[in-house]
């Protein structure tokens, strides 16, 4: 953040890859532009009116071989660029399994983040250098977009569903965080900072934050206070499915479909319980729409995920 620069700082693994792709495309496009401009110039001089340049039939090799040659060359160039961009994109899409998971809730007009140990931040995000960080994001109102130019990452944050993004920061420092989707009058001010710290410093920072309950712990408390446990605890008298190990499992629905109980499904089941009814159960669960906010939902889902235990995928 010092002085004016047209090139944003390069502070993540992804940033370096995106930059080489960008420069690569620029060089290829520049070379083609130059070639076409040169040919245009040469031909317009050579074949100007009244010049004695030959204008008859072209020799056979020019008609066939050159045509074939440039068709093949541009085809391979296009395929190569497609592969390059596609491979870069795919590497950016899936976080490594051991990534540090930070939950983000966007709302008009702020970013709220929660770390695995329960530390919370608003309009700020502290991350350790060199470690994969995965953001699980949702919005409480309208569509926002989480954008960190220095990391070359941007992801829409959408109400009613979870979107994900991951990065591995490479350089300690403080970088801009923006909202990149117009979301209302104060969209322009909806931003903050991402601070990359050495892993030791991050650990020290995280433990120095006011200790709140971690996400699953908070979810467990909500599970009781909202009354979920009254029906869903293994010992409950009411006939409701046990949620032990439900996260990520396949469930059979009353209408014959089989779906995976992923975050989206469990979220819908809390807000719209009558929609995807589990086979063999009565539609007696009330909707919790309006009673829980996005942060509560993230905690509840984190709790359900923690119940998965050894039963994985
Ligand atoms: Cu949030 Cu623009």
């Amino acid at each position: 953040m010092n002085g004016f620069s047209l090139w944003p700082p390069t502070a993540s693994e992804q940033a370096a890859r995106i930059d080489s792709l960008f420069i690569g495309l620029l060089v290829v496009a520049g070379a083609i532009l130059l070639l076409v401009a040169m040919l245009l110039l040469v031909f317009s001089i050579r074949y100007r009116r009244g010049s004695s340049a030959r204008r008859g039939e072209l020799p056979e090799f020019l008609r066939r071989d050159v045509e074939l040659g440039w068709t093949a060359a541009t085809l391979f160039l296009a395929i190569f660029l497609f592969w390059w961009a596609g491979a870069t994109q795919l590497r950016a899409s899936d976080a490594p399994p051991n990534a540090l998971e930070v939950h983000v809730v966007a709302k008009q007009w702020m970013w709220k983040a929660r770390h695995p140990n329960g530390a919370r931040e608003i309009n700020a995000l502290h991350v350790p250098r060199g470690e994969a960080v995965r953001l699980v994001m949702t919005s409480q109102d309208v569509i926002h977009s989480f954008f960190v130019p220095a990391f070359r990452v941007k992801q829409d944050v959408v109400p009613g569903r979870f979107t994900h993004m991951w990065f591995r920061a490479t350089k300690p420092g403080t970088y801009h965080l923006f909202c990149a989707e117009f979301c209302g009058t104060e969209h322009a001010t909806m931003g903050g900072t991402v601070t990359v710290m050495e892993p030791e410093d991050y650990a020290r920072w995280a433990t120095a934050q006011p200790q709140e309950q971690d996400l699953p712990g908070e979810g467990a408390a909500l599970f009781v206070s909202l009354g979920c446990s009254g029906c869903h605890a293994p010992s409950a008298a009411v006939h409701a499915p046990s949620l032990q190990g439900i996260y990520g499992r396949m469930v059979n629905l009353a209408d014959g479909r089989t779906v995976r109980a992923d975050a989206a499904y469990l979220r819908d089941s809390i807000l719209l319980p009558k929609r995807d009814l589990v086979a063999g159960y009565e539609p007696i669960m009330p909707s919790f729409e309006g009673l829980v906010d996005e942060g509560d939902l993230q905690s509840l889902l984190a709790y359900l995920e923690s119940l998965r235990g050894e039963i994985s995928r």
Side-chain angles (χ1 to χ4, degrees), residues 266-273 285-289 292 297 300:
L266 292 171
R267 181 181 191 287
D268 286 351
S269 299
I270 297 169
L271 300 177
L272 308 160
M285 171 160 162
S287 165
F288 283 80
E289 182 107 58
V292 289
L297 282 168
L300 283 168

Side-chain angles (χ1 to χ4, degrees), residues 56-168:
E57 273 275 280
L58 285 172
E60 175 66 16
F61 91 95
L62 269 181
R63 288 217 309 268
R64 201 194 54 225
D65 298 4
V66 172
E67 193 72 33
L68 270 177
W70 84 33
T71 306
T74 44
L75 176 68
F76 283 116
L77 182 67
I79 290 175
F80 166 73
L81 291 178
F82 175 77
W83 166 81
W84 192 6
T88 305
Q89 186 57 42
L90 283 180
R91 288 183 76 163
S93 63
D94 281 329
N98 57 348
L100 184 78
E101 204 166 77
V102 177
H103 285 76
V104 173
V105 175
K107 57 180 275 191
Q108 289 169 320
W109 288 273
M110 62 171 79
W111 296 104
K112 299 200 277 187
R114 282 193 289 180
H115 292 255
N117 75 341
R120 291 158 185 266
E121 307 185 72
I122 287 182
N123 290 343
L125 180 65
H126 288 73
V127 294
R129 184 188 59 81
E131 259 175 64
V133 177
R134 179 168 184 264
L135 303 183
V136 180
M137 306 187 289
T138 189
S139 164
Q140 213 157 297
D141 35 49
V142 299
I143 302 178
H144 302 271
S145 186
F146 195 96
F147 179 32
V148 186
F151 296 170
R152 313 287 190 275
V153 290
K154 187 196 293 177
Q155 171 64 52
D156 277 7
V157 180
V158 184
R161 56 191 277 188
F162 295 103
T163 52
H164 309 270
M165 183 174 105
W166 82 278
F167 55 81
R168 196 193 301 273

